[in-house]
């Protein structure tokens, strides 16, 4: 199979299976990450196939909702079926295992430029107006409240808060979203992240203004 056919086949499969996903890892998220990866790669000029296929497969089985290595295992089966060679499969699986943010004390550097690009594209989708929307969708999916003034805003317990219905949507800004700008890998990613970060700060300012006036 040609590389382009593998990409098309993968996109088609995920478009069908993730159309109605309800936790914010739906097809439209995958599509935005795919598009932004292509955009970032215009500047970086890394291996196109790895970038596109890793973007399409990056959320195949998210760690918060599945077993730790379920994502890379599923991706391996999928790519083997399409006849991709072992070296490229290994590269994509490594990206999938490293991509996720698992709290500020567990930052694992992405090894390759292809991985850095897809990680930036995925992080961009957690920022700005879309990031805010996804945070509230995920919180609703897990049954978390919007905000609870009796809980101190901090970055602790991220893993527990993400898997369970502990914590609040607003706390998620402090445990993850506001930290991402300084973790971006590429220059273009950093620039886009700055703008989205500023928008989230503005949003929080308005949120607390309204909350405290009520
Ligand atoms: P991504 O798909 O961008 O890697 P995640 O899988 O970590 O992001 O999470 C999917 C979406 O749900 C993201 O926009 C993220 O910010 C949000 N999210 C993740 N964990 C939490 C949480 N504990 N509370 C609220 N929202 C969360
Ligand atoms: Ni994602």
């Amino acid at each position: 199979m040609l590389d382009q056919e593998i990409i098309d086949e993968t996109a088609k499969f995920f478009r069908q299976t993730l159309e109605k996903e309800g936790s914010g890892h739906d097809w439209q998220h995958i599509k935005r990450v795919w598009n932004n990866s292509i955009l970032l790669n215009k500047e970086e000029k890394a291996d196109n196939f790895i970038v596109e296929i890793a973007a399409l497969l990056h959320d195949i089985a998210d760690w918060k909702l599945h077993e730790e290595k379920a994502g890379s295992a599923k991706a391996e089966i999928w790519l083997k079926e399409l006849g991709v060679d072992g070296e490229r499969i290994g590269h994509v699986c490594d990206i999938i295992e490293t991509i996720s943010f698992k709290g500020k004390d567990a930052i694992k550097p992405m090894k390759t430029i292809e991985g850095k690009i897809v990680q930036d594209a995925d992080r961009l989708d957690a920022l700005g107006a879309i990031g805010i929307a996804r945070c509230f969708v995920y919180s609703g999916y897990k049954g978390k409240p919007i905000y609870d003034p009796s809980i101190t805003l901090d970055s602790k317990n991220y893993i527990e808060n993400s898997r369970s219905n502990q914590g609040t949507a607003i706390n998620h800004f402090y445990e993850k979203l506001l930290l991402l700008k300084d973790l971006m890998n590429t220059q273009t990613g950093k620039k886009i992240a700055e703008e989205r970060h500023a928008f989230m700060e503005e949003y929080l300012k308005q949120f607390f203004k309204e909350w405290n006036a009520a």
Side-chain angles (χ1 to χ4, degrees):
M1 227 185 229
L2 293 173
D3 284 358
Q4 192 55 51
E5 287 170 340
I6 295 170
I7 290 168
D8 292 346
E9 211 35 53
T10 306
K12 191 173 135 204
F13 177 75
F14 283 101
R15 192 177 299 126
Q16 284 162 356
T17 50
L18 290 178
E19 195 138 42
K20 299 215 155 42
E21 209 276 344
S23 75
H25 299 88
D26 54 301
W27 165 245
Q28 296 299 330
H29 164 64
I30 307 296
K31 202 167 136 192
R32 287 190 300 270
V33 173
W34 183 23
N35 285 336
N36 274 336
S37 296
I38 292 170
L39 179 86
L40 297 180
N41 199 25
K42 287 217 165 89
E43 203 59 47
E44 306 297 329
K45 301 185 175 36
D47 183 322
N48 239 329
F49 175 76
I50 297 289
V51 167
E52 291 196 44
I53 208 76
L56 285 167
L57 291 171
H58 85 276
D59 269 336
I60 187 167
D62 185 79
W63 64 273
K64 296 186 296 307
L65 308 168
H66 300 84
E67 292 289 320
E68 186 78 28
K69 292 210 169 172
S72 54
K74 271 189 163 180
E76 186 176 358
I77 295 169
W78 174 257
L79 294 173
K80 253 188 194 154
E81 247 173 58
L82 297 178
V84 178
D85 66 81
E87 194 186 323
R88 296 210 286 182
I89 294 180
H91 190 169
V92 173
C93 287
D94 194 61
I95 294 175
I96 295 172
E97 282 177 22
T98 318
I99 196 165
S100 281
F101 179 83
K102 296 195 178 130
K104 71 171 181 15
D105 300 321
I107 309 273
K108 211 169 133 195
M110 188 60 90
K111 287 191 213 118
T112 64
I113 181 64
E114 289 78 12
K116 287 178 193 208
I117 288 168
V118 181
Q119 187 173 50
D120 272 11
D122 193 31
R123 284 175 171 167
L124 286 177
D125 213 49
L127 299 178
I130 288 176
I132 294 171
R134 291 183 73 223
C135 171
F136 286 105
V137 163
Y138 188 84
S139 299
Y141 179 80
K142 287 284 181 184
K144 290 174 207 257
I146 296 173
Y147 174 55
D148 179 348
S150 73
I151 302 174
T152 315
L153 293 166
D154 64 28
S155 60
K156 293 185 212 137
N157 307 322
Y158 174 70
I159 300 247
E160 296 78 7
N161 287 349
S162 296
R163 283 199 168 119
S164 68
N165 56 1
Q166 304 291 304
T168 67
I170 289 295
N171 194 63
H172 187 60
F173 286 81
Y174 297 87
E175 65 195 5
K176 174 178 170 186
L177 307 185
L178 294 173
L179 310 178
L180 293 180
K181 149 177 95 64
D182 294 328
L183 295 172
M184 300 302 287
N185 303 302
T186 66
Q187 280 313 315
T188 317
K190 268 188 196 132
K191 232 173 96 192
I192 307 173
E194 298 275 349
E195 188 198 336
R196 296 187 184 193
H197 181 93
F199 183 80
M200 292 193 302
E201 290 210 309
E202 196 55 40
Y203 171 80
L204 287 170
K205 221 165 87 190
Q206 179 70 18
F207 180 92
F208 287 117
K209 189 174 152 195
E210 292 176 17
W211 189 279
N212 293 323

